Amino acid sequence: MQSKRQANFELLRIVAMLMIIVLHYLNKSNLLLLFTQEQTAVNYVMHLIVAFCIVAVNCYVLLSGYFMVESAWKPGRVVSLAAQILFYSLLIPVVLIVAGVVPADDLSVYDWLHYVLPIETEHYWFATAYLIMYVLAPILAAGVKMVGKRTLQIVIAVLLLYFSVWKSFIPVSFATDRYGYEYGWFVCLFLIAAYLRLYGCPFLEKKRNAALLYAGMSLGIFLLAAASGIMSEVIHPLSYYMDMPTTYNHILCLFGSIGLFMLFKDMKPWEGKAAEAVRRLAPYTFGVYLLHEHELVRYQWMKWLHVDSVWGRWMFIPHMIGSVLLVYAVGTAVDFARAWIFKGVVKRTGRMKMQNKADDSGLKR
């Protein structure tokens, strides 16, 4: 029998996607200003929210690594992921053209190349990095189990030095630093999640410690960015640190994401209607991302929801909550329809294959 998905991890998947939408709401609507531009209470609160939400992407990847290290790898899942990405990449421009939102003449050959080859062109950077990580997952999982605890610790330490530690402490922009927007960083997160699954972390098994780590690192991100922004007017090189703490591979963001992940991991198992609702919603979170982050949508949905009307005002809080929930609800509904269509296609294809086999058998007789 197929075991039920664990509601605590599925809840984290939903929470992480809501956090990602919050980040996009604040960053891509121009509501969030640099500390050197705006030093108001409203802007500080926005930066504080970002500091507590920036861990979301890492958590999403940690979830995948945690389960993939022990689960069977499915080639069909690669096809399914690629088909899901292509579905949104191609369908959205067609729908927007038919609806008259986007004139067909506005889309160049280069634009359509992005829609036809979304993975190769990094139309969705996260989807590209995630898909490559998934393809490598069986090799990574086998290697993790083969090398043993000590070797895995060394490998993770070396990768963290390369991807995270140096960039976090040295105020220099490294040519190899892509701020965590790459599959190499996702592989590093995969190995960390695999280590937590196989060997655990006794200190973080206590929810209090995990919560303190998440809260402490998030506050650290906010304080470092704020202090750097204020002091950069006097010591200009410190301006580097304004943005660095909110990059996915910064050491504070990494440990904050581990803290939040462990906090949900250590939740007591729970069942009931709420748990079932969480299990039903969670599978559509990736579709929520693919819908609202399409190139033709990612900067437009803020305009459609009139986000600029709450610029510099405390009204941004209820407006943000309503907008985020609406984007999540619409994305879930659309991906539910997409899943229903895919399921129908798979069933239809299966029937056709069975019919062809039957016809072949008849011919052989």
Side-chain angles (χ1 to χ4, degrees), residues 1-10 67 270-273 275-276 279:
M1 294 178 64
Q2 185 178 2
S3 60
K4 285 185 177 180
R5 288 175 175 263
Q6 298 177 49
N8 54 328
F9 286 114
E10 296 304 287
F67 285 102
W270 50 291
E271 291 298 335
K273 292 183 178 180
E276 285 302 316
R279 291 192 185 99

Side-chain angles (χ1 to χ4, degrees), residues 279-294:
R279 291 192 185 99
R280 287 181 179 273
L281 288 174
Y284 306 114
T285 53
F286 190 51
V288 174
Y289 165 77
L290 294 173
L291 177 67
H292 87 278
E293 262 298 280
H294 191 281

Side-chain angles (χ1 to χ4, degrees), residues 342-358:
F342 276 27
K343 188 176 180 180
V345 171
V346 170
K347 283 185 176 180
R348 178 76 175 175
T349 304
R351 288 180 189 143
M352 290 176 64
K353 285 182 178 179
M354 290 178 65
Q355 183 63 45
N356 289 337
K357 286 182 180 179

Side-chain angles (χ1 to χ4, degrees), residues 40-62:
T40 63
V42 173
N43 198 47
Y44 273 86
V45 169
M46 288 182 185
H47 278 279
L48 186 62
I49 292 171
V50 168
F52 273 83
C53 290
I54 197 65
V55 301
V57 170
N58 286 350
C59 284
Y60 209 93
V61 181
L62 287 171

Side-chain angles (χ1 to χ4, degrees), residues 110-163:
Y110 181 77
D111 292 324
W112 282 107
L113 183 65
H114 270 240
Y115 308 148
V116 174
L117 300 172
I119 297 167
E120 293 80 358
T121 58
E122 284 196 328
H123 184 136
Y124 303 99
W125 75 265
F126 177 88
T128 298
Y130 185 85
L131 189 64
I132 295 174
M133 182 198 70
Y134 189 88
V135 171
L136 296 174
I139 299 173
L140 294 172
V144 163
K145 294 174 183 177
M146 182 183 71
V147 299
K149 182 178 181 180
R150 179 59 178 168
T151 301
L152 181 57
Q153 288 175 336
I154 295 172
V155 170
I156 291 174
V158 172
L159 288 176
L160 287 180
L161 282 173
Y162 175 78
F163 283 110

Side-chain angles (χ1 to χ4, degrees), residues 7-27:
N8 54 328
F9 286 114
E10 296 304 287
L11 179 60
L12 176 57
R13 199 182 305 277
I14 294 172
V15 169
M17 185 53 61
L18 290 170
M19 286 179 165
I20 289 170
I21 302 172
V22 168
L23 291 173
H24 294 160
Y25 176 95
L26 294 174
N27 283 309

